């Protein structure tokens, strides 16, 4: 998703993920295998910055909720949440709504075996 956004002309991206890229998840990621062992966001930042040098990419190795608690997310025009965890997604959405933050969110997920993908757009408001 980050590569597609960068290629479409989005000039600023913030990538948030606490996970590391391992050989066990290479089958479902855009990253090349030489990034194994790196934090996913750092590896994506490096790869996107090399491919699209005009895109300003920030990376955070925090979890979504930790980032949310410690940073001003009102700076974002749009949040794309691809955690693959519907419980976390629902909780995150409820927190946005409870705090009255009016940032649109796109939640996305892929069915098992890549059978199909889905997205849901949410406009949380207080």
């Amino acid at each position: 998703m980050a590569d597609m956004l960068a290629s479409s002309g989005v000039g600023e991206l913030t990538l948030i993920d606490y996970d590391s890229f391992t050989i066990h998840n290479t089958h479902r990621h855009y990253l090349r295998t030489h990034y194994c062992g790196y934090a996913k966001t750092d590896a994506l930042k490096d790869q996107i910055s090399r491919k699209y040098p005009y895109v300003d990419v920030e990376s955070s190795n925090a979890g979504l909720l930790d980032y949310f608690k410690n940073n001003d997310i009102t700076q974002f025009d749009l949040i794309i949440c691809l955690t693959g965890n519907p419980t976390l997604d629902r909780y995150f959405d409820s927190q946005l709504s409870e705090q009255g933050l009016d940032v649109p969110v796109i939640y996305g997920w892929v069915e098992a075996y890549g059978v199909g993908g889905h997205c849901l757009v949410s406009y949380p408001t207080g």
Side-chain angles (χ1 to χ4, degrees), residues 29-125:
H29 281 280
Y30 164 77
L31 293 170
R32 298 180 183 138
T33 56
H34 71 269
Y35 286 110
C36 284
Y38 287 81
K40 287 180 182 175
T41 54
D42 294 339
L44 272 171
K45 177 181 179 176
D46 182 65
Q47 191 161 317
I48 289 170
S49 296
R50 289 172 187 271
K51 191 172 180 183
Y52 308 103
Y54 53 85
V55 178
D56 180 23
V57 183
E58 296 296 321
S59 65
S60 172
N61 299 326
L64 177 64
L65 297 177
D66 293 330
Y67 189 89
F68 174 73
K69 290 176 189 173
N70 298 321
N71 293 279
D72 177 18
I73 65 169
T74 60
Q75 66 181 317
F76 301 120
D77 297 320
L78 173 68
I79 297 171
I80 300 175
C81 193
L82 306 170
T83 66
N85 181 336
T87 303
L88 176 60
D89 293 349
R90 285 192 294 269
Y91 181 74
F92 181 69
D93 200 63
S94 71
Q95 293 299 301
L96 290 174
S97 184
E98 282 180 21
Q99 300 215 8
L101 300 175
D102 194 20
V103 180
V105 183
I106 297 174
Y107 296 95
W109 65 98
V110 177
E111 295 296 330
Y113 305 110
V115 173
H118 306 278
C119 71
L120 171 76
V121 179
S122 175
Y123 294 95
T125 56

